[in-house]
């Protein structure tokens, strides 16, 4: 057997590399290794290539043992505070490495490998046990980059033991005491109210505190946190500094301040931002994102907020720290966690490393962890991105703080994700009224008599003399007195206040007024400016070589300027260019958005030889705002959530998510339901995210036809979202510009065309861009005032109908385009109607099936606004949005258009 195989067993690559270095230049390796390799060479010389001396072979066995601890030590830790761990084999017993008790007092050079120098096997094992198998378990051996491996070893094998000084211990005691006493306080004051107690996982509070405190010494100036229900109130109070009075006021269930229309949300969902001063004296802004019950849905939103802040800070990833706090069941089960894991290293989505903390109470509602996942750990998704993982006993407060400090240091050094599995328990049922013994009788018997982490830590500090019983009592009294004072204050407060989430960034914006919902500001841009910008973003630089078709495309666009006929792409690009020129950054992401799924956009062009990227929109003039455009990973849920978060923290910019086809938007349904359409109503937040959903019936089958307009319209209520469907490049231009030119922000859902991207009639002139604003309704330019039948429709079906007219203008029909569907432009429609024959017949024409598209919404709105009953023309109700057969598609399409043609008199 080749003794070198031991080397590769013990240390894939690293030892071999070291040996190779030694062979080249013996002085280039450490003295002890030099001796070790010299002995190894000697034994090879003595015993031949196939054998090594017994002593050398033993060294390899010890190296093997070290490797065993590094790779499998986490399986044998004492990290579970309330129950025995599952058994894993083979164990790390000496005999499994062909070593025995007889070797314990032999000195091995292999001690060098773990930084303690030549040492007895006894000492090496003790060191390994302490490093890898006490309160902290570590997983990292799957990492492939040697610099990260080396760093982790250096910071774990030598540092991985608690090292707090007396002041640090007292501080940790204070934080754990706050956490424990607060839960007990709430339990006493608000018996039976849901608060999703943190008990059993209280060390989350000293953990977050350590992260943030240490963070400020390493350049962190902003922290963005996402978390679910458990421990949220304590985090708000003890990490974000939300006054007790405000939290307790919410317990009393008082009405919100304001007009009474605001729905609000349960207390453990609300967001908050606050500036805190760290012990270092540094100010740090901490934001907790509002979130719905839908577990893990907030993750991408937090990442988006963090990224916007990083971008605002010139790309400084060290200054902004995203922290995601997960439940053990949720992190294992929710797919969005995988999506955000995949984002972590991507140019368009990276946030410099997220610290993931799992409040692992070993249960999800009533479901045991054994039924909640296949993977060994709830954190196993971390391995997809080769992230560092810690498992730590949540009862060991100092170990928790220690892990946090290493995690933060690692994140600031490598800007990679790190996961901390805080292994504790849940003292009560899922909420405080729930009985856990129905489902986990044995576990909850053990938990009932288990001391709190505060008690355990206090005992330790009393024993080692860090604090006296009197000091501890005084600390407790002081903390309780603050809670009591907050309670008294909350009684005097008239109502709950909800307005502190990212409020600094939103200064100067105000809620929309009713009359602004169906009217638009002027958003035209001077012709000279348009021509100047148009020439810039369509002129390729001299020098680099471009693909022939790219050159043609740009030349075609320049010729649009000459011909005064601009297509869809130009309308869209004009909107971006003018906004950038005015100082509004634009960010666009989604699948294949750089070129555009339908090859219309070409926002990024590549040079032919080197594939270097060129974004002409970023080269218009010095000092313009930045255009960020990113092809996304193949995700709808996480990417749209990310952009929603980005828009939260970037009100001055235009933030857009585009679906590949609108049909795929339902992969992000939770984002639409829980955030985009209801966020303002629940959290009093505004958000200007824009969604582009390609939509239209063109015979491409059931999943390439519909952006599911009906669903967004059903979600529309009052002023919560804008739903639009434009038919001209200029109207699209004004719509996008309007999005940032209003003094308020609303999510905008745009059903965008496919066919119209290249449709000769869907063009606009320079005058259309330079004057006016977005038109909610476009009247028929050719209809006679005497028309007695008014066809309302939306989107590209308008042009389909015109084709059927074969350039004839019906004498009796007016075809009117509704470009904004929600908020419903009833007044504008009524005004248009008033311009035609009295009591004209009203028709709603759509290409979607009757149970889809805008019909049910429009029909109801027309009734609500006293506009009478419209006649429906469109496809029959259908289970699937569209036929898979192009022929059936055409036949159905012709039928609905023919129905209108039959009404026409030419
Ligand atoms: C997406 C989603 N599905 C279901 C639920 C209902 N639910 C609320 S809490 C919970 C259990 C969560 O367990 P875990 O993630 O371990 O957090 P813990 O409550 O134990 O802290 C479930 C299933 C939810 N909130 N979100
Ligand atoms: Mg749990």
């Amino acid at each position: 057997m080749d003794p070198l195989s031991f080397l590769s067993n013990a240390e894939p690559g690293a030892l071999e590399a070291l040996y190779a270095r030694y062979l080249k230049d013996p002085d280039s390796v450490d003295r002890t290794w030099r001796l070790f390799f010299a002995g190894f060479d000697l034994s090879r010389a003595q015993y031949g290539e196939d054998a090594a001396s017994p002593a050398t072979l033993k060294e390899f066995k010890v190296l093997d043992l070290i490797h065993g601890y590094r790779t499998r030590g986490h399986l044998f830790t004492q990290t579970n505070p309330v129950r025995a761990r599952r058994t894993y084999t083979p164990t790390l017993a000496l005999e499994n490495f062909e070593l025995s008790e007889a070797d314990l007092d032999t000195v091995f050079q292999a001690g060098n490998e773990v930084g303690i120098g030549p040492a007895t096997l006894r000492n090496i094992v003790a060191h390994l046990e302490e490093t890898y198998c006490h309160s902290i378990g570590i997983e990292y051996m799957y990492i492939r980059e040697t610099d990260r491996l080396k760093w982790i070893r250096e910071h774990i094998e030598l540092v991985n033991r608690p090292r707090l000084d007396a002041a640090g211990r007292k501080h940790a005691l204070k934080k754990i005491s706050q956490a424990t006493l607060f839960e007990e306080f709430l339990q006493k004051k608000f018996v039976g109210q849901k608060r999703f107690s943190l008990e059993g996982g209280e060390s989350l509070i000293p953990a977050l505190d350590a992260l943030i405190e240490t963070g400020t010494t390493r350049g962190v100036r902003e922290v963005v946190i996402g978390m679910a229900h458990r421990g949220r109130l304590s985090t708000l109070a003890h990490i974000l500094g939300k006054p007790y009075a405000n939290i307790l006021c919410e317990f009393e269930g008082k009405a919100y301040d304001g007009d009474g229309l605001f729905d609000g949300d349960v207390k453990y969902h609300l967001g908050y931002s606050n500036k805190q001063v760290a012990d270092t004296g540094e100010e740090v802004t901490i934001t907790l994102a509002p979130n719905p019950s839908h577990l893990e849905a907030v993750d991408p939103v937090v990442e988006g907020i963090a990224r916007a802040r990083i971008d605002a800070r010139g790309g400084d990833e060290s200054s902004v720290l995203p922290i995601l706090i997960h439940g053990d069941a949720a992190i294992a089960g929710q797919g969005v966690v995988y999506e955000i894991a995949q984002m972590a290293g991507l140019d368009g989505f990276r946030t410099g490393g997220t610290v993931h903390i799992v409040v692992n109470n070993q249960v999800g509602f009533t479901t045991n962890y054994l039924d909640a996942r296949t993977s060994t750990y709830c954190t196993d998704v971390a391995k997809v991105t080769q992230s560092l993982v810690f498992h730590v006993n949540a009862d060991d407060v100092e170990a928790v703080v220690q892990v946090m400090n290493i995690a933060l240091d690692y994140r600031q050094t490598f800007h990679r994700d790190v996961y901390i599995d805080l292994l504790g328990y849940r003292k009560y049922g899922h909420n405080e009224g729930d009985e856990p013994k129905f489902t986990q009788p044995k576990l909850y018997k053990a938990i009932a008599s288990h001391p709190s982490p505060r008690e355990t830590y206090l005992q330790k500090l009393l024993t080692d003399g860090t604090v006296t019983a009197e000091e501890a009592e005084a600390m407790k009294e002081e903390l309780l007195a603050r809670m009591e004072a907050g309670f008294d204050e909350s009684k005097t407060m008239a109502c709950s206040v909800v307005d502190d989430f990212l409020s600094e960034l939103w200064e100067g914006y105000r809620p929309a007024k009713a009359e602004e919902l169906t009217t638009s500001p002027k958003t035209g841009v001077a012709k000279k400016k348009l021509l100047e910008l148009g020439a810039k973003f369509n002129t390729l630089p001299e020098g680099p070589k471009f693909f022939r078709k790219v050159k043609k495309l740009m030349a075609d666009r320049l010729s649009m300027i000459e011909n005064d006929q601009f297509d869809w792409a130009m309308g869209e690009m004009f909107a971006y260019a003018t906004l950038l020129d005015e100082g509004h950054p634009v960010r666009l992401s989604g699948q294949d958005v750089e070129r555009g799924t339908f090859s219309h956009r070409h926002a990024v062009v590549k040079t032919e030889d080197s594939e270097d990227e060129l974004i002409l929109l970023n080269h218009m003039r010095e000092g313009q705002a930045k255009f960020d455009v990113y092809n996304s990973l193949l995700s709808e849920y996480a990417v749209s959530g990310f952009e929603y978060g980005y828009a939260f923290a970037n009100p001055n910019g235009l933030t857009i998510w585009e679906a590949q086809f609108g049909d795929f938007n339902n992969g992000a349904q939770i984002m639409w339901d829980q955030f985009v359409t209801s966020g303002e109503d629940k959290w009093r937040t505004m958000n200007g995210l824009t969604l582009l959903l390609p939509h239209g019936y063109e015979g491409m089958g059931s999943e390439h036809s519909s952006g599911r307009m009906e669903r967004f319209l059903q979600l529309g209520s009052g002023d919560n979202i804008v739903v639009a469907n434009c038919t001209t490049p200029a109207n699209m231009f004004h719509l996008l510009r309007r999005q940032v030119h209003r003094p308020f922000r609303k999510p905008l859902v745009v059903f965008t065309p496919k066919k119209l991207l290249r449709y000769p009639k869907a063009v606009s002139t320079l005058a259309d861009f330079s004057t006016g604003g977005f038109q909610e309704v476009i009247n028929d330019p050719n209809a006679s005032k005497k028309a007695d039948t008014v066809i309302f429709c939306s989107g590209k079906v308008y042009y389909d109908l015109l084709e059927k007219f074969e350039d004839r203008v019906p004498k009796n029909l007016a075809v009117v385009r509704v470009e904004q569907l929600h908020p419903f432009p009833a007044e504008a429609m009524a005004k248009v109607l008033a311009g035609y024959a009295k009591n004209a017949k009203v028709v709603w024409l759509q290409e979607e099936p009757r149970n889809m598209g805008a019909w049910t919404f429009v029909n109801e709105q027309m009734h609500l606004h006293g506009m009478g009953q419209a006649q429906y023309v469109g496809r029959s109700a259908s289970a699937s949005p569209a036929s898979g057969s192009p022929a059936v598609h055409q036949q159905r399409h012709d039928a609905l258009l023919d129905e209108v043609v039959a009404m026409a008199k030419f």
Side-chain angles (χ1 to χ4, degrees), residues 470-490:
E470 293 70 39
E471 281 173 330
E473 194 51 32
M475 180 190 276
K476 178 176 170 182
E477 289 307 321
E478 195 204 324
L479 296 177
L480 281 175
R482 280 192 210 163
M483 293 173 201
E484 284 291 351
F487 183 66
D488 291 344
E489 196 189 333
S490 76

Side-chain angles (χ1 to χ4, degrees), residues 265-329:
D265 204 346
V266 290
K267 54 192 172 290
Y268 40 85
H269 284 173
L270 302 176
Y272 195 68
S273 300
N274 203 8
K275 273 204 173 85
Q276 294 286 78
V277 180
D279 287 350
T280 51
E282 289 291 351
E283 262 196 357
V284 54
T285 303
I286 313 177
T287 289
L288 177 64
N291 67 297
S293 286
H294 292 59
L295 295 166
E296 306 291 350
V298 79
D299 299 1
V301 178
V302 166
E303 298 296 342
I305 295 172
R307 174 59 182 254
R309 296 305 304 146
I310 289 169
D311 287 351
R313 289 171 162 276
D316 179 7
E317 293 183 343
S318 292
S319 63
V320 180
L321 173 68
I323 303 175
L324 290 176
I325 303 168
H326 313 265
D328 53 306

Side-chain angles (χ1 to χ4, degrees), residues 229-230 293-295 327-330 334 359 361 363-365 426 430:
H229 48 289
R230 190 148 322 277
S293 286
H294 292 59
L295 295 166
D328 53 306
Q334 291 293 304
V359 178
N361 51 23
V363 63
F365 209 147
R426 190 186 68 193
H430 177 60

